[in-house]
Amino acid sequence: MNTTLLDLQQENQGVLKRILNTPSLLVGSIMFLLLIGVAVFAPFITPFEPSEQNLYAILQPPSSEHWLGTDQLGRDLFTRLIYAARTDLKIMVLAEIIPFCTGIFLGMLAGYYGKWVDTVISLVTDTFIAFPFYLIVIIVAFASGAGQKGIYITFILVGWIVFARVTRGLSASFRKQEWVASAQTMGIPGVKIILRHLLPNVLPQAVVVLMTDMVGLLVAIVTLGYLGIGIAPPTPDWGTMISDGQSFITTAWWLSAVPGIAVVYTGIALSLVGDGLADLWRRK
Amino acid sequence: MKTALQIEDLTVKYGEFTALDKVSLAIQPHTTLGLVGESGSGKSTLARVIAGLIAPSDGQVLLGSQVLGKKRSREQHKDIQMIFQNPDSSLNPKHTIRQILSEGLLFHKVVDRAGVEQRCKELLDRVHLDERALGRYPHQFSGGQRQRIAIARALSVEPSVIIADEPTSALDVSVQRSMLELFSTLKSELNLTMLFISHDLGVIHAISDIVAVMKQGQLVEVNPKDQFFSRPETSYSRELLSAVPKMPISITTGGLS
């Protein structure tokens, strides 16, 4: 018999081309990369220091020297804004790493093994879900003192749940697929099946969830800052900036508005990225 | 001759429902046993019990002279491989063909790491696929090609018994034919021992040496192919045979060789 020639189906389109064909992903990525770029290169972008005060030039409106004006202590608002992006984005990304990994892994364990493993993991997730997120954040923040620590601890405690729930459902449905049965017939051990077979299949969905989850986390960081139990001054943070500017809302409204807009901007960027990725992977 | 695979009083119950009811069966080395029966008769359950995917409620499976327990050894896992019905779902969509074929090779140390690439190509060649397939993903292939890849994967670990659970049912008729030809070639070239499950008597006729018939979880007849097709023993077998749609040239005598 002749070798069956593969009909040369279109080779995988280049990754770049596929991104270009997904406008939401493209726009979101550009917005987010821009933000990261500004945060990373903050010291090169602005000549001022974030806590550099100038009491002779307080509450100035935007000018060519101070692009977004100055605050009540004469600090350059634009400088504080981009340094705050550094603080808040850094916490947002770092706080997600551990919950993302543990959530995916626990979810896959529960979904793949089912039975008592699933019962135990589901029991824990259901217990945590019963408490409102902000209640836990505020309790932990008070217990651990103001600062970033509270956010990290809370997120390690409860951040994994959303990922576990998503990957549990997916893994439970993949478990019934014949490619899993085939690996089992081969004798491949369960943990290897989870890591090698299930992980690449649940990861796209988990990344999409990660994007929306980061938006929620950012809002939480900012909220804590606003309430005064998050990032402690003088470290710049969008939340404290909003609350500091509140007293001058009638005379210098931009003090609160600008960091607020920054939060919204980040939220839109991440949502677009998440949406775009979901689109991209669905189409394939 | 020693039997390759023996099943003794195998029973599987799901609550009240009995999927397999004291099934006993033996497959001789280098023969193909064709298992027929309507859907729900327990064919796939039997296949999955033999493959170790379902634990039986009662009875045992013997591979050669070893009893296959609940926890199988690595070697025992290697010895029985299965080809599934639906090629759309039997290959991991996120793995390349190279990953799919090399997994068993590496896990069971069939060849060393340096020999994997060469062996993968040989396996593809066995199932008449181009070696360029290695870097691609399952979705880039047709159903028939995917089924060939699944066959290559099953062959990769050099099993002593292959279970094919309706391997042609999800394919177009034209593809079915070439798939059967492939099975026949592999059978004679590799001296395979096979349990071939199908509800299609034409397919069973083309591939089997022995035919076994299942009905409602029980084995009702086991006979050599020629005897089964010419002088079926039970009324149920006669019923099955008469249910085959008649064509100008009878399927049962034309056959595929």
Side-chain angles (χ1 to χ4, degrees), chain A residues 125-136:
Chain A
T125 51
D126 291 348
T127 310
F128 274 112
I129 278 175
F131 295 97
F133 173 72
Y134 278 96
L135 186 69
I136 302 178

Side-chain angles (χ1 to χ4, degrees), chain A residues 26-204:
Chain A
L26 187 69
V27 174
S29 307
I30 292 172
M31 284 171 73
F32 191 60
L33 287 177
L34 199 70
L35 188 70
I36 298 284
V38 168
V40 169
F41 296 107
F44 303 100
I45 294 172
T46 163
F48 303 101
E49 286 292 320
S51 13
E52 188 183 324
Q53 302 181 6
N54 180 1
L55 295 174
Y56 296 105
I58 61 166
L59 296 173
Q60 288 186 350
S63 63
S64 58
E65 197 194 351
H66 299 288
W67 293 352
L68 292 174
T70 60
D71 69 1
Q72 72 282 10
L73 295 172
R75 297 175 294 195
D76 181 56
L77 188 64
F78 177 69
T79 307
R80 287 188 65 74
L81 187 76
I82 60 181
Y83 274 90
R86 263 187 152 182
T87 322
D88 290 340
L89 295 181
K90 191 189 84 190
I91 299 171
M92 178 182 86
V93 172
L94 289 183
E96 286 282 8
I97 295 173
I98 294 177
F100 182 69
C101 298
T102 49
I104 290 179
F105 189 68
L106 289 174
M108 289 194 299
L109 277 182
Y112 178 74
Y113 285 112
K115 298 188 186 139
W116 67 267
V117 182
D118 186 27
T119 313
V120 170
I121 293 173
S122 299
L123 202 71
V124 179
T125 51
D126 291 348
T127 310
F128 274 112
I129 278 175
F131 295 97
F133 173 72
Y134 278 96
L135 186 69
I136 302 178
V137 182
I138 292 170
I139 292 171
V140 175
F142 271 115
S144 66
Q148 314 175 3
K149 222 174 14 172
I151 293 163
Y152 290 128
I153 295 174
T154 313
F155 238 64
I156 287 173
L157 278 178
V158 300
W160 57 276
I161 286 167
V162 54
F163 302 110
R165 280 166 72 94
V166 171
T167 53
R168 173 188 170 269
L170 286 173
S171 305
S173 72
F174 289 141
R175 181 181 58 172
K176 300 186 191 87
Q177 297 276 321
E178 290 174 344
W179 45 266
V180 171
S182 160
Q184 288 168 336
T185 311
M186 278 274 176
I188 311 286
V191 174
K192 266 194 177 163
I193 292 180
I194 286 177
L195 293 178
R196 209 165 355 175
H197 288 266
L198 295 183
L199 183 60
N201 284 283
V202 301
L203 208 52

Side-chain angles (χ1 to χ4, degrees), chain A residues 9-22 280 283-284, chain B residues 139-140:
Chain A
Q9 283 179 32
Q10 212 178 333
E11 289 288 336
N12 253 341
Q13 285 180 346
V15 179
L16 193 70
K17 200 173 160 200
R18 284 174 48 201
I19 293 175
L20 288 178
N21 284 333
T22 318
L280 191 78
R283 244 185 284 143
K284 194 177 151 187
Chain B
H139 71 91
Q140 292 171 291

Side-chain angles (χ1 to χ4, degrees), chain B residues 165-225:
Chain B
D165 185 6
E166 305 254 10
T168 57
S169 309
L171 305 174
D172 290 343
V173 180
S174 58
V175 184
Q176 257 184 31
R177 193 193 164 94
S178 69
M179 196 59 59
L180 284 175
E181 282 169 6
L182 175 66
F183 269 110
S184 301
T185 330
L186 293 173
K187 217 179 102 177
S188 55
E189 280 177 7
L190 301 174
N191 268 326
L192 295 178
T193 306
M194 208 162 25
L195 173 63
F196 196 102
I197 298 172
S198 181
H199 62 265
D200 184 334
L201 283 167
V203 170
I204 289 292
H205 184 273
I207 198 88
S208 320
D209 303 309
I210 311 277
V211 178
V213 184
M214 277 191 83
K215 186 192 179 189
Q216 291 168 354
Q218 287 178 319
L219 213 53
V220 293
E221 175 169 355
V222 184
N223 266 321
K225 174 170 79 174

Side-chain angles (χ1 to χ4, degrees), chain B residues 1 12 45 86 94 100-101 126 176 193-194 202-203 231 256:
Chain B
M1 217 192 310
V12 173
T45 307
N86 190 350
K94 298 284 178 189
I100 289 168
L101 294 181
R126 272 237 171 276
Q176 257 184 31
T193 306
M194 208 162 25
V203 170
R231 284 169 280 122
L256 293 156

Side-chain angles (χ1 to χ4, degrees), chain B residues 69-95:
Chain B
K70 218 175 169 187
K71 219 43 184 144
R72 296 186 179 179
S73 70
R74 196 179 266 230
E75 186 66 21
Q76 288 166 340
H77 272 297
K78 172 181 175 294
D79 269 338
I80 299 179
Q81 286 307 314
M82 186 153 162
I83 296 159
F84 294 87
Q85 174 172 7
N86 190 350
D88 296 340
S89 69
S90 71
L91 307 174
N92 189 330
K94 298 284 178 189
H95 282 187

Side-chain angles (χ1 to χ4, degrees), chain B residues 213 220-221 228 232-242:
Chain B
V213 184
V220 293
E221 175 169 355
F228 172 80
E233 250 171 34
T234 59
S235 58
Y236 181 66
S237 305
R238 280 192 288 277
E239 219 176 284
L240 275 182
L241 283 168
S242 65

Side-chain angles (χ1 to χ4, degrees), chain A residues 198-243:
Chain A
L198 295 183
L199 183 60
N201 284 283
V202 301
L203 208 52
Q205 199 65 46
V207 169
V208 172
V209 173
L210 174 68
M211 294 302 148
T212 25
D213 201 49
M214 284 211 285
V215 179
L217 175 55
L218 179 71
V219 173
I221 297 167
V222 172
T223 307
L224 289 183
Y226 177 80
L227 295 174
I229 49 176
I231 319 291
T235 311
D237 149 68
W238 290 336
T240 42
M241 286 172 73
I242 295 174
S243 85

